[in-house]
Amino acid sequence: MTAPLKEFFEALTEQERKFAPTFADDRLGILLRTAINELDWYAYNLARAPEPTDEQQEQFYILRMGLSRAIKLALDARPSFDVPVGFIESMREAINLFGEPFEGFEEATLAEARTLFSVLSVGRDSTTLLDRPGCPLPPLIRCSEQGFIRCQTAAHSDPMHFLLDALRYHFRKEYDEHQRTREGAMQAAVKRVLDDAIAGLEYLPNIKIKVAGKTLTDIDLVVAEASTGAVLLIQLKHQDLYGTDIHSRNIRTDRLKEQIGRWLEATKAWIDAAGEAEVRSVLRLPRTFPNPEFHRIIVTRHYSYPIQDIRRDDDVAFANWNQFFNVVALAKEREKTPSLASVVRLLKENAERSVKQEHLREPPSEWIIDDLKFSVRQTP
């Protein structure tokens, strides 16, 4: 985070502390309930607008950001509200009722229902989930051990992002272990999608490539098509969601472009330097395999648009997972005998149609919050 931005957030946090006594005196949580209802009402009307204006979208963004801070202030200010609502037992009954028809379902215990309630909500023991600017809103705000306030907007806006953050917070060890399996899961998913459309493909995961004995990089998945000689060298990038967190977006976007840039340089150096015998040996291509035609492909889990800014050779294509899935489905639908070449062509066409992200023009503005004064200027 840049120094001015860090200083600004610290100053803003200092102003927020002045509201703590007001929240502390709110025995029924009326202020918090009102703030949640206001956001839900705004979201309800925004969803029904024929075409929301830029100003409405900006107001909605500010309201969402503000509510996350209000929730944290309200929960930190009081140990509880005076109007608890019972919930855990009814949640357990609902889980068991709807889960019973599914094969292998086991009845949830009261303790398991309580754990689920904790993960799906933010309480006084987990307000650090709301520390990051632009964090996802919780669908449930825990007022007591069994009481809650529901935020309809959060339930319909980025709930998966909140769930992932909550799982990381409550089950750090298990979450980290799962992170280590992500590459294998994406490799299996790519294989499954391609095999559904194209017959006769061969796969080779996790290949290290070297020049003069020095390891340059690795290739997450090699896909070879003996009928055409096409060979895909695939780099898989699993990403965490960043939602409206501008700081995380900037850091991860820069990191993604840097990593992809290095991978493209390394793979090009290897392709240029390696002879046919080495290529066939490393990629385990039999003598009967035609002269290989390489295509370097980057598949990201969520965000691929930053790759547009990277200088790319003609043999490079990219997509996020949804785009990759759709492109393969299109190739299967449009062609009697789809091939890897047709998938690559559609990937490139999809990238060409992508519109470069642009930001709305923001006029200079001055803001005053009590004794905090700041200005906002848009950089070129």
Side-chain angles (χ1 to χ4, degrees):
M1 186 177 297
T2 61
L5 197 57
K6 183 179 180 181
E7 183 180 350
F8 166 71
F9 279 123
E10 289 175 351
L12 197 60
T13 300
E14 191 61 36
Q15 295 300 319
E16 286 180 349
R17 291 195 181 98
K18 298 178 181 180
F19 292 93
T22 304
F23 281 103
D25 292 338
D26 185 18
R27 296 186 301 107
L28 303 180
I30 298 299
L31 292 175
L32 177 58
R33 297 170 194 270
T34 301
I36 293 171
N37 288 340
E38 284 294 320
L39 179 66
D40 286 345
W41 177 243
Y42 197 99
Y44 174 85
N45 288 285
L46 190 67
R48 280 152 183 76
E51 189 172 345
T53 65
D54 295 333
E55 184 180 9
Q56 288 173 323
Q57 296 280 16
E58 185 177 44
Q59 289 172 349
F60 181 60
Y61 174 79
I62 293 172
L63 284 170
R64 284 188 59 190
M65 293 272 287
L67 180 58
S68 66
R69 305 305 302 164
I71 294 171
K72 180 175 175 60
L73 284 170
L75 293 180
D76 286 345
R78 290 185 61 85
S80 66
F81 297 123
D82 291 349
V83 189
V85 180
F87 179 67
I88 300 296
E89 181 59 37
S90 58
M91 172 184 272
R92 186 183 74 87
E93 292 174 357
I95 292 171
N96 292 335
L97 175 64
F98 289 103
E100 186 177 6
F102 293 94
E103 183 179 352
F105 173 77
E106 297 181 3
E107 279 202 1
T109 65
L110 195 60
E112 289 170 337
R114 186 172 287 110
T115 298
L116 181 60
F117 181 43
S118 296
V119 171
L120 293 176
S121 63
V122 160
R124 291 172 175 85
D125 60 339
S126 56
T127 56
T128 52
L129 284 167
L130 304 173
D131 283 346
R132 193 176 73 251
C135 64
L137 291 172
L140 302 173
I141 296 92
R142 240 180 303 138
C143 308
S144 64
E145 286 299 313
Q146 300 194 55
F148 70 97
I149 304 171
R150 183 175 182 182
C151 179
Q152 297 283 1
T153 303
H156 294 89
S157 174
D158 217 6
M160 186 56 66
H161 188 184
F162 174 79
L163 179 59
L164 289 172
D165 282 357
L167 288 171
R168 183 192 297 115
Y169 176 83
H170 290 282
F171 304 101
R172 168 62 69 178
K173 180 181 177 182
E174 293 84 351
Y175 189 91
D176 289 343
E177 289 176 354
H178 177 265
Q179 295 290 82
R180 290 191 284 272
T181 69
R182 295 185 304 180
E183 183 177 290
M186 285 192 75
Q187 290 169 338
V190 169
K191 183 178 184 299
R192 184 172 61 250
V193 169
L194 288 175
D195 281 345
D196 186 55
I198 305 171
L201 299 179
E202 296 293 333
Y203 299 89
L204 192 61
N206 305 323
I207 297 299
K208 293 188 181 299
I209 54 176
K210 302 178 180 180
V211 170
K214 179 182 178 182
T215 300
L216 297 183
T217 188
D218 61 346
I219 300 170
D220 293 328
L221 186 64
V222 176
V223 186
E225 187 176 37
S227 61
T228 66
V231 177
L232 304 189
L233 309 180
I234 300 180
Q235 173 79 341
L236 302 172
K237 303 302 291 186
H238 201 294
Q239 306 153 307
D240 289 327
L241 294 164
Y242 49 69
T244 55
D245 184 347
I246 298 174
H247 176 59
S248 293
R249 182 193 66 187
N250 291 341
I251 289 178
R252 294 174 189 175
T253 294
D254 290 344
R255 184 167 61 224
L256 174 67
K257 291 194 289 188
E258 181 185 350
Q259 291 173 346
I260 293 300
R262 288 202 307 265
W263 185 81
L264 290 175
E265 290 177 1
T267 50
K268 179 175 175 54
W270 178 72
I271 292 172
D272 292 343
E276 181 179 347
E278 182 181 351
V279 167
R280 290 182 177 274
S281 173
V282 172
L283 302 184
R284 301 177 192 175
L285 302 176
R287 292 182 179 179
T288 55
F289 195 91
N291 289 333
E293 181 180 0
F294 293 111
H295 304 277
R296 291 176 292 164
I297 310 296
I298 300 105
V299 181
T300 66
R301 178 62 185 90
H302 300 293
Y303 313 106
S304 66
Y305 68 87
I307 302 174
Q308 295 183 69
D309 299 332
I310 300 175
R311 182 186 173 280
R312 305 182 304 277
D313 295 328
D314 291 338
D315 67 325
V316 177
F318 65 91
N320 63 32
W321 174 251
N322 290 342
Q323 292 167 337
F324 179 80
F325 182 92
N326 289 337
V327 158
V328 176
L330 281 174
K332 181 181 179 182
E333 178 184 296
R334 293 178 180 178
E335 302 187 16
K336 184 178 181 180
T337 308
S339 64
L340 290 182
S342 58
V343 169
V344 173
R345 174 175 51 79
L346 289 172
L347 284 173
K348 292 180 178 180
E349 290 177 3
N350 180 76
E352 290 173 0
R353 287 194 300 268
S354 299
V355 179
K356 187 173 178 62
Q357 284 196 329
E358 295 182 357
H359 299 281
L360 297 174
R361 186 176 179 280
E362 186 72 27
S365 57
E366 303 287 338
W367 299 79
I368 299 176
I369 304 176
D370 201 7
D371 56 354
L372 171 63
K373 299 180 181 180
F374 61 95
S375 60
V376 177
R377 299 285 187 274
Q378 187 173 32
T379 57

